[in-house]
DNA sequence: ATTAAAAATTGACCTATGTTAAGAAGATGC
DNA sequence: GCATCTTCTTAACATAGGTCAATTTTTAAT
């Protein structure tokens, strides 16, 4: 974690968080006054670890700026299985859900600002504002669908197909993620991704 | 769907459903009287389709007996990506969550009895009993974790490793699922699964 | 700007899994 | 119980992607 933020910056980031949250949970000004107490603005430098394997994830965060990589270390190898870009949520969900040690690392791919809700605060919300339970449910539901899509893609598409689809649907991956991490996300070695990229170029 | 059930059988199945639900949502006798109105006992013969691709999933079900296979049809090929065994939930979740057409088929692998809650009833529950929102949330959270585990296994383990782990952790798959479906679940062709099984035998 | 370090590419060769085809073993129906 | 159909296995060959090693390109540090 990095330098202190000015009061003004802090408020700006909080405001941004409210905007981004709106689709899930539109809040009146009064509600927001309560809600914002639960937020913490955190900022990281490129390469910093936002969460380490074995730590329990205490925060559900919104990426105000920057992007993060989620990876697991298996047999001495890093496997990148998710990224969070600007305006998306960022969290080691299974750790957060269960409040048990995370199997994953989360690392800042760029300098990052996160607006983070603490687990305990969210539980309070669930308790006092039952409708926020719906917010929690909807969020997980969205992730569920995302994971399912990806699982099916891993089962049915070749690495080349996965690369092309990603390029077409989510070009941000190509713009913001180093190829070695992207390769891992596509479930191939960097050398193979290179070959795939070359093949695609040659075919044009 | 099959023969009519006797009143007694119907009540027995409902009772079983309550028992199975208990871990997620313990209910008093009075609560259960309300709750059980929302259940429907459905029964299927081996091979029946419980849900077809393109249909919207209206039910979240508990498998009272039997087991089901969830698969997607891609490029003319069936890909089995999930099974529901006795006492587990059964649902095309992403379809149910979004109330949009399912990408998946669900088929009875054996004769099946399901205790099913209708989507609309569940929404009513969420509305009138906010604590049941937690039930919905917890259920999806459990599935999320399951999908995540599987995704990581698909990324990091060889087919042989996946087979061995499955055999050791969940032998029920081997007992109840034909090898051709199991192969698909492990993301290999039946011929490859055969080779893997042979190799394991030879190594003993 | 210069140098060092990291990332990306390329080529030669290897391995796990896919493909095709055939036969053996098991299940199902009459 | 016999015939038929489906599932499972085996073998020969093909291929996508892995491995290892060298080279080029990009990025970062002084």
């Amino acid at each position: 974690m990095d330098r202190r933020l000015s009061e003004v910056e802090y408020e700006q980031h909080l405001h941004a968080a409210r905007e981004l949250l709106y689709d899930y949970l539109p809040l009146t000004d009064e509600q927001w006054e309560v809600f914002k107490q639960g937020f913490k603005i955190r900022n990281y430098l490129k390469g910093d670890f936002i969460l380490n394997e074995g730590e329990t994830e205490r925060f559900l965060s919104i990426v105000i700026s920057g992007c993060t990589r989620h990876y697991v270390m298996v047999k001495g190898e890093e496997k990148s299985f998710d990224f969070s870009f600007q305006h998306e949520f960022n969290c080691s969900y299974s750790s957060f859900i269960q409040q048990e040690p995370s199997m994953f690392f989360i690392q800042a791919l760029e300098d990052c600002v996160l607006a983070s809700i603490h687990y305990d605060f969210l539980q309070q919300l669930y308790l006092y504002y039952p409708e926020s339970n719906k917010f929690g449910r909807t969020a997980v539901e969205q992730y569920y669908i995302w994971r399912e899509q990806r699982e099916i893609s891993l089962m049915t598409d070749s690495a080349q197909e996965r690369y092309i689809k990603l390029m077409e649907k989510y070009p941000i991956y190509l713009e913001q993620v180093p190829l070695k991490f992207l390769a891992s996300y596509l479930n191939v070695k960097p050398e193979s991704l290179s070959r795939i990229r070359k093949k695609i170029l040659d075919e044009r």
Side-chain angles (χ1 to χ4, degrees), chain A residues 57 91-100 119 123 140:
Chain A
E57 173 67 278
C91 186
S92 181
Y93 301 103
S94 46
S95 169
F96 186 76
I97 287 166
Q98 305 175 101
Q99 285 293 290
E100 282 178 10
Y119 181 82
Q123 298 310 311
V140 191

Side-chain angles (χ1 to χ4, degrees), chain A residues 28-42:
Chain A
T28 63
D29 286 348
E30 299 95 289
Q31 288 176 318
W32 175 244
E33 284 308 310
V34 177
F35 213 93
K36 76 191 262 195
Q37 306 305 318
F39 271 103
K40 187 176 167 187
I41 301 295
R42 303 189 295 163

Side-chain angles (χ1 to χ4, degrees), chain A residues 25 35 122 124-137:
Chain A
L25 192 63
F35 213 93
L122 198 60
Q124 294 295 318
L125 275 186
Y126 288 158
L127 210 58
Y128 294 119
Y129 303 90
E131 66 275 21
S132 64
N133 237 310
K134 184 185 166 194
F135 157 69
R137 185 163 51 78

Side-chain angles (χ1 to χ4, degrees), chain A residues 66-68 83-86 109-110 171-178:
Chain A
C67 67
T68 72
F83 301 91
S84 299
F85 299 102
Q86 193 164 26
L109 275 186
E110 309 282 343
I172 194 175
Y173 281 77
L174 214 45
E175 291 152 19
Q176 299 204 17
V177 179

Side-chain angles (χ1 to χ4, degrees), chain A residues 1 5 10 13-18 20-21 32 34-44 50-51 57-65 68 88-92 96 106 112-122 125 135:
Chain A
M1 195 123 31
L5 291 170
Y10 205 95
H13 291 327
L14 274 180
H15 184 74
R18 182 184 178 182
L20 294 172
L21 215 52
W32 175 244
V34 177
F35 213 93
K36 76 191 262 195
Q37 306 305 318
F39 271 103
K40 187 176 167 187
I41 301 295
R42 303 189 295 163
N43 83 89
Y44 296 92
I50 297 168
L51 186 76
E57 173 67 278
R58 303 296 180 191
F59 297 103
L60 175 59
S61 306
I62 298 167
V63 180
I64 303 293
S65 65
T68 72
E88 295 181 352
F89 281 98
N90 177 77
C91 186
S92 181
F96 186 76
I106 302 183
C112 280
V113 177
L114 307 182
S116 304
I117 315 174
H118 196 282
Y119 181 82
D120 297 333
F121 188 82
L122 198 60
L125 275 186
F135 157 69

